Amino acid sequence: MDDRAEHGGPRVPQQRRSGAAGEPAALRFDVLGPVRARRGEQQLTTGSPQQRALLAALLLREGRTATAGELIDALWGDDPPSQALAAVRTYASRLRKALDPGVLVTESGGYAVRGLGEGALDLAVAQEFAAEADKARAAGDLGRARQTLNRALGLWDGEALAGVPGPYAEAQRVRLEEWRLGLLESRLDMDLEQGCHADAVSELTALTAAYPLRERLRELLMLALYRSGRQAEALAVYADTRRLLAEELGVDPRAGLRELQRRILQADPELAEPSAPAAEPAVVRVRPAQLPATVPDFTGRAAFVAELSEVLAAAGGGGAGGVMAVSALAGIGGVGKTTLAVHVAHRARPVFPDGQLYVDLQGAGARAAEPETVLGAFLRALGAAESAIPDSLEERAALYRSLLDGRRILVLLDNARDAAQVRPLLPGTEGCAALVTSRVRMVDLAGAHLVDLDVMSPDEALSLFTRIVGEERVASERKAALDVVAACGFLPLAIRIAASRLASRRTWTVSVLAAKLADERRRLDELQAGDLAVKATFELGYGALEPAQARAFRLLGLADGPDISLRAAAAVLDLPPEEAEDLLESLVDTSLLESAAPGRYRYHDLVRLYARACAERDEQAAGEREVAMSRLLDFYLATATGVYAIERPGERVLEHLSRGSYPGLSFADRGQALDWLFTEASGLLAAVQQAGTAGMLRRAADLLLAAVDLGESGISSRQYVLAATAVVAAAQRTRDPYAEGRARLMHSHILGVSGQFAESDREAGAALTLGLAAQDPVVCAQAPNQQGIIALYNGRHDEAEEHLTKALAAFRADRNTPGEASALCNLSRVHLATGRTESAVSLARQGVTIYERDDTGMALRLANGKYALGLALTSAGEITPALRALTDALGMFQDARQQLWHGMTLFRLAELHLADHGPARAAACAEQALAVLHGIGGDWRRANVLTALGRGLHGVGQLDRARVCWQEALSVFETLRSPEAADVRALLASAPVG
C-alpha cells in the first residue's frame, strides 16, 4: 500500500470528469490535512477517528480493493480488538450511507472507493500540479513551475491525515510530509534560481528551526544568505549544522554542504548570482550589396539583432508560412534605428542571395520621398529598362512585385513617414522580406512584426563610448564616463557625438566632457559635432507637429517626474482627459513621447530638455508655464488631501490645508486611493520640489503633509526628504514661516522614520519655533509630539514625557481627537519605558478607544494605537491579547502600504514570541522584519531586529549564527553610541560558543 508516483507522492486512481449541467454537486475528499468529505459546500460526517482511518486507507488505495484483513492491519496493526471485523463492516456501512451511491463498493470480501470525479481528492490535484511543475521546470519556465508548486503546497491544511490513528495512517503521514518537504525544497531551489534569495531567507530560517537535521534546507539557507550579502551568517549556518549533526547523529555534513562552504569561503563568483544559460548568437556571414555600410563600432542590441535575424531567416528560407515578412522598427530620433536595421540586414544577406534594396524615405523631413519615385529607382536596380517602367504608382508597384516573384530579396525602407508611404514598396511573395524604420509606430501596417527600439542599457552605452574614445582614456575615468553616457540619456546618437568630440580633443579628459554635459541648460548645445546634432534630430519631429500637439509637447516637458499620468497631464494642459489622451497618444505615435504603461507617459531625458527649451522659446502667453505647473500642484494637492481623508478620517489637519483652484480625483475605496498615491509618488514629490515661487510654496508644504504616507512608509523617504528641504530653502528665501515650519515638521518626521534621530530632533525644534511664530496649530501640536518620540528613542524619558504632554494639550486645544489619541499612545510607551506598566496599558487603551469611538475603523491611526497597546500588554505579560493587538496592527499596516511599520510590527511580534518562550516563531518574525525593513528604517532599528533574531536563533540552537547577528548589532549600537550596546554585550558574554 505504498506505491509512489513519479514525483514521490502516493499514486491515486485516475479520476473521471464531473460537474455537467444538472448533476448534483460532486464529492470532494481531503487527506492533506484532516480527513474530510464534502458535497459541494456541505461538510459530510465521516464519523469516529477509526472510521476516518478506514476512509483514508481506501482513498489512498488507488481504487484497488482492500481486503478486510488489510484494513484491520491498517487500523490496528498487530493488536486488533476482538470485534475488529465487525467494526470494519460497521464503519464501511456508515460511510456508504454518507457518500454517493456506488462510491464505496463491496467486492470479493473487501472494500474500494471508485468513480471519483476529476479533482475529487486533494492529493490527486497536488500530484497533477507537481507533475505540471516538473514539465515547466524541464522546459525552462521557472516562473510557471514555482507558481504551480505553490498551488500544490497550498493544498496542505496542516498535518496530512491529522488525527487519524493506526500504523498505516502514520506511515502515510511520514511519506506525505517527506513529499511536501521535497516539493518545498524544489520550490525554494527555484526561488534562488530566479534571484529571490532575500525573500527566501525568512522562510528558510523558520524551516531550519522546524527541521534542524534536514541538510538540504540548511544548504539553501546558506546560499540565500550569501546571495543576500550576509556571508558571515551563511558560514555560521554551516558551523551550527556541523555541530548539530555531530552532537545528534555523530556524522559530518554531506559533501554538497561542505562544497558550498568551501565556495563561500573562496567567494566563488559563480555562486553570487543564479546561473542562467547564455544564448549563443547565431553565426551570420556579412556580404556587401546595395545596403549602406554598417558602422565598424556597432555595439549591443543583441536581443534585437537576434529577434530580427530570426524573422528574416524564416522569411528568406520560406519558413514564414508562405507570407512575405515585414519588420517595422520604431523609436525616437537618434535611438539607432537605421544603424540597427543596416547591421541586421548585412547579417541576413546570405539568406537573400538575390539582392538587397535600400532607400532613405526622408519621412522625418519636410518633403518625404514619393513612392512612385522610389519604385522607379527599385525597378531600375532590378534590371528593368527605362522604357519598360510605367508612369502610374499602381503599375509600377505591380511590375515591382512581378520582378520580385521567385527571388529572395531583402528591402530596407529607412526613415519612413507612415504606413501609406510604405505599402506600395513592399514585396508581395514569400522568400522576400522588408525592414522598415520610422519614428512612427506602424500599427496600421497589416501583418508587420513591430519592434519598439529603446535607448541603450548603461553597459551597452559605456561600451559604445569606449569603442569610440579608446579603452585607455576611459579605463582611468570610468565613473566620469558613466556620467557622460547618463547625461546623454543612453541615446546612441548623443553618445556617438559626445565620444567623437572627446576623441578629437586629445587635451580633454573624460571628466572635462562630463562637466560640460552636467549643465542641463547647455547640454543640447554641447551635443553636436560636424553635421550631427541631437537638437536638429528633435527639431525635425517638433516641426511636423500641429499647434495643439506642439503646445502639449512643450508644457508637459516642464514637469520633473520620471513619468506623468493621463489625469495629471490633463491638469497641466487644462483639458478634459479624453482630449488630453488624444494629444498624448498622437505624440507617442511620433516617438516624441513614450507610453510607459497604460495611461502613463514619459519623455526621454534629452527630449524633455528640448521640450523645455521650446517652452522658453515658443510659449507665447505670459506666465503660461507657471500657470500650468500651478494647476499640476493643485491637482496633486486636492487628490492627496482626499487620500489623507480616507486614511485618517476625523483628522483636523484636513481643515488646515490649502485649497487649490484645480479639482482632484475621488476614489471609491481605500485601496484605490493608496494605489494612486504610491503610483504617483515620484511625480507628486517632484512637483513639490519644483514649487519654488511664493505663490505655490504653502500649497507645496501642505502637499507634503497630505502625502505623509509616502515618506512614512519608507518607500519614498529619500525623495520626500529632498522635496521637504527644497521647500524649506525656498521658504527661507521668501521669508515664509508658515511654509518653512510645515516643511521642517515633515522633514523631521521622515528623518525620524529613517533613524536619523539627532537631525530629526533639531528639525522638530526649529519647526516648533516657526509654528509658534506663524500660529500654526498643526505644527504647534505635531512638532512636540515628534520631539517626544525622538526623546523616547534616545532614552530621555523625562524630556519625552514633557514634550508629549505639551503635544496632548495642543491637540486637545485644536479639537484634534486622532492627534490626542496619538499623543496618548506615545505617552504609553514612555510609561512603559519607565516601569509604569499598568498606566502604560491604560493610556494605550484610551488611545485605541478614541480611534474606535471616532469610527476610524481600520484606518491607519488605529493601527498605531493597536501597536502601542500590543507593546504595553506584552510587557504586562498578557500575551494572548498582546498577540491579538499586534496581529491586528500588522494587517492594518500592510493594507496601508506602511512598509516601515509593517516591519516594526513583525519585530514586536518577535519580541512577544521570545517573551512567550517561542524562539522558532520569534526567529521567523525577525527574519521577515529584516526583509521588510531592507533599505528603510535606519541602522538603529535594524540592530534591534538583529538582536531579537539572535535571541531566537540562540533559542533553537543555532549558536554561531546568533553570535554573528549580535556582533553586527553591537557594531551598529556602538557606532551610534546607543545604550542598547550594553545589553548586546551581555548577551555575547553569556552565550556559549558553538
Side-chain angles (χ1 to χ4, degrees), residues 292 327-342 357-371 374 378 411-422 425 434-442 536-538 540-541 544 589-591:
S327 290
L329 286 74
I332 185 178
V335 81
K337 300 180 295 294
T338 299
T339 301
L340 174 62
V342 169
L357 298 172
Y358 171 84
V359 64
D360 180 357
L361 293 173
Q362 303 289 321
R367 301 184 65 178
E370 295 295 334
V374 175
F378 278 177
V411 182
L412 177 47
L413 305 173
D414 192 22
N415 194 15
R417 177 186 58 204
D418 52 30
Q421 184 189 30
V422 166
L425 309 178
L435 265 177
V436 184
T437 74
S438 176
R439 298 189 182 198
V440 177
R441 292 191 80 245
M442 295 200 174
T537 301
F538 297 158
L540 287 172
D589 289 339
T590 65
S591 296

Side-chain angles (χ1 to χ4, degrees), residues 732-927:
Q732 287 176 327
R733 289 195 302 271
T734 58
R735 298 181 179 178
D736 186 340
Y738 175 96
E740 184 182 352
R742 291 197 170 190
R744 284 189 182 276
L745 171 68
M746 303 319 296
H747 188 201
S748 167
H749 186 61
I750 305 311
L751 286 170
V753 165
S754 62
Q756 300 175 65
F757 299 138
E759 298 86 344
S760 174
D761 199 24
R762 284 196 296 271
E763 283 291 270
L768 182 57
T769 300
L770 291 161
L772 290 169
Q775 296 183 335
D776 183 350
V778 173
V779 175
C780 288
Q782 290 195 15
N785 195 47
Q786 180 67 16
Q787 287 177 304
I789 293 170
I790 298 303
L792 170 64
Y793 286 157
N794 286 332
R796 307 191 313 269
H797 299 132
D798 291 343
E799 187 180 333
E801 189 160 1
E802 181 182 349
H803 287 309
L804 291 170
T805 302
K806 289 179 181 177
L808 182 61
F811 282 128
R812 285 172 173 166
D814 191 36
R815 304 191 312 281
N816 187 340
T817 51
E820 177 186 352
S822 172
L824 287 169
C825 290
N826 290 330
L827 275 169
S828 165
R829 296 181 62 185
V830 174
H831 282 229
L832 195 63
T834 51
R836 293 173 283 173
T837 305
E838 185 176 344
S839 60
V841 172
S842 174
L843 287 167
R845 282 186 169 141
Q846 289 178 53
V848 170
T849 299
I850 290 174
Y851 290 135
E852 293 175 336
R853 183 190 66 205
D854 287 355
D855 195 28
T856 53
M858 294 292 285
L860 177 59
R861 289 292 196 181
L862 181 56
N864 293 324
K866 295 271 190 177
Y867 179 89
L869 180 59
L871 298 188
L873 290 170
T874 300
S875 182
E878 299 183 40
I879 298 300
T880 300
L883 178 62
R884 184 164 53 249
L886 288 173
T887 303
D888 288 347
L890 181 67
M892 295 176 197
F893 285 133
Q894 285 177 292
D895 290 343
R897 326 283 172 89
Q898 290 294 315
Q899 188 173 340
L900 171 70
W901 293 108
H902 173 195
M904 288 304 296
T905 307
L906 286 168
F907 161 59
R908 297 303 185 182
L909 282 167
E911 290 191 320
L912 180 146
H913 289 308
L914 287 170
D916 195 32
H917 309 293
R921 294 191 300 275
C925 286
E927 269 294 358

Side-chain angles (χ1 to χ4, degrees), residues 6 8 39 45 63 108 110 118 133 143 162 369 481 507 562 680 698 780 848 873 910 924 936 971 983 986:
E6 181 179 350
R39 184 180 291 109
T45 301
S108 303
E118 183 180 19
T507 59
E680 293 294 318
R698 293 196 174 190
C780 288
V848 170
L873 290 170
I936 62 173
S971 175
D983 296 333

Side-chain angles (χ1 to χ4, degrees), residues 473-511:
R473 296 180 74 181
V474 173
S476 59
E477 294 188 275
R478 180 179 172 81
K479 184 180 183 303
L482 287 169
D483 290 341
V484 168
V485 296
C488 292
F490 308 110
L491 189 71
L493 175 62
I495 295 166
R496 185 172 295 280
I497 291 171
S500 299
R501 289 191 68 194
L502 183 60
S504 65
R505 290 163 173 79
R506 302 306 301 177
T507 59
W508 282 15
T509 62
V510 182
S511 298

Side-chain angles (χ1 to χ4, degrees), residues 522-610:
R522 288 280 307 158
R523 188 176 299 168
L524 289 176
D525 295 327
E526 294 288 347
L527 290 174
Q528 52 186 349
D531 61 350
L532 294 178
V534 172
K535 187 187 293 186
T537 301
F538 297 158
E539 193 74 49
L540 287 172
Y542 177 65
L545 298 179
E546 298 293 330
Q549 292 175 313
R551 174 181 177 269
F553 174 75
R554 295 191 300 268
L555 292 182
L556 289 177
L558 299 173
D560 262 350
D563 64 0
I564 191 168
S565 69
L566 172 60
R567 298 302 292 267
V572 172
L573 302 177
D574 199 18
L575 290 174
E578 297 79 12
E579 291 183 30
E581 184 175 26
D582 290 342
L583 278 175
L584 297 179
E585 289 297 328
S586 70
L587 290 174
V588 170
D589 289 339
T590 65
S591 296
L592 285 172
L593 192 66
E594 300 173 22
S595 179
R600 302 199 70 82
Y601 302 89
R602 68 184 176 205
Y603 284 99
H604 180 273
D605 291 346
L606 294 178
V607 177
R608 186 197 303 275
L609 293 179
Y610 177 72

Side-chain angles (χ1 to χ4, degrees), residues 689 704 719-732 743 747 763:
Q689 206 165 344
L704 286 171
Q719 191 179 359
Y720 192 101
V721 166
L722 291 174
T725 52
V727 174
V728 168
Q732 287 176 327
H747 188 201
E763 283 291 270

Side-chain angles (χ1 to χ4, degrees), residues 643-651 654 708-709 712 859-861:
V643 177
Y644 191 96
I646 292 173
E647 275 290 272
R648 297 168 175 82
E651 265 278 11
L654 292 164
V708 63
D709 285 347
E712 194 170 77
L860 177 59
R861 289 292 196 181

Side-chain angles (χ1 to χ4, degrees), residues 156-180:
W156 262 265
D157 183 16
E159 182 184 49
L161 306 175
V164 174
Y168 176 71
E170 181 58 33
Q172 289 294 325
R173 252 192 303 275
V174 172
R175 182 175 296 116
L176 289 170
E177 176 63 3
E178 181 64 28
W179 184 47
R180 184 187 74 85

